[in-house]
Amino acid sequence: VQLQASGGGLVQAGGSLRLSCAASGPIFSIDHMGWYRQAPGKERELVATAPTGRTPKYADAVKGRFTISRDHAKDTVYLQMSNLKPEDAAIYYCNAKMASTLDYNNMDYWGKGTLVTVSS
C-alpha cells in the first residue's frame, strides 16, 4: 500500500493550487486521509484531515482558505488551497490510516512530500 502525491509548485501570493494524493495497493479500508506540512526549521504540522464518514478538520491557519475532499471511488484525497500566503510555503505530505488485505491492521502511511512555494 502506498500514497502518491502530486500538485505542488510555485505560485504567487493570493494564488491557488490543488494537491492530490492517491492511495494504491491491496487496500482493505481507509480510516482517514489528510495533509501535513513542514516548513524549513519547523516541525511537521497537521493541515487538514478528512476522516471517513466524519467532518473534515482544519488547522486554524488554513480555515476558510483550504478545502480537503476525498474521492472514495479513487481512494484519493485533494487539498484545494486558495489565497495562498508566503507562510503556507512548505513541503506538503499526504497521510492516511489504512488497512491492507495482507493483515487488516490499520497503519499510518505517508507519501513523499510535494513542495509548495509561495512568492510574495
Side-chain angles (χ1 to χ4, degrees):
V1 177
Q2 61 181 359
L3 298 171
Q4 181 66 49
S6 62
L10 171 64
V11 65
Q12 287 188 331
S16 299
L17 277 177
R18 190 174 85 149
L19 306 182
S20 301
C21 176
S24 62
I27 299 167
F28 173 70
S29 64
I30 300 177
D31 179 75
H32 66 254
M33 301 184 80
W35 293 92
Y36 286 70
R37 68 186 181 187
Q38 187 167 19
K42 295 188 176 181
E43 293 186 355
R44 190 174 296 189
E45 62 177 3
L46 174 69
V47 177
T49 182
T52 301
R54 289 168 283 169
T55 303
K57 296 182 180 179
Y58 297 90
D60 288 343
V62 307
K63 282 181 181 176
R65 300 188 297 118
F66 291 12
T67 302
I68 190 170
S69 61
R70 287 175 58 185
D71 184 330
H72 296 276
K74 297 181 179 179
D75 292 333
T76 298
V77 62
Y78 304 96
L79 185 68
Q80 178 66 47
M81 305 184 291
S82 302
N83 190 20
L84 281 158
K85 303 176 181 181
E87 52 264 41
D88 294 317
I91 299 174
Y92 283 70
Y93 296 92
C94 176
N95 166 262
K97 178 167 281 188
M98 303 183 287
S100 75
T101 58
L102 300 178
D103 56 19
Y104 301 99
N105 290 326
N106 265 335
M107 291 179 59
D108 263 325
Y109 292 87
W110 292 90
K112 292 182 181 180
T114 184
L115 180 64
V116 172
T117 305
V118 183
S119 63
S120 56

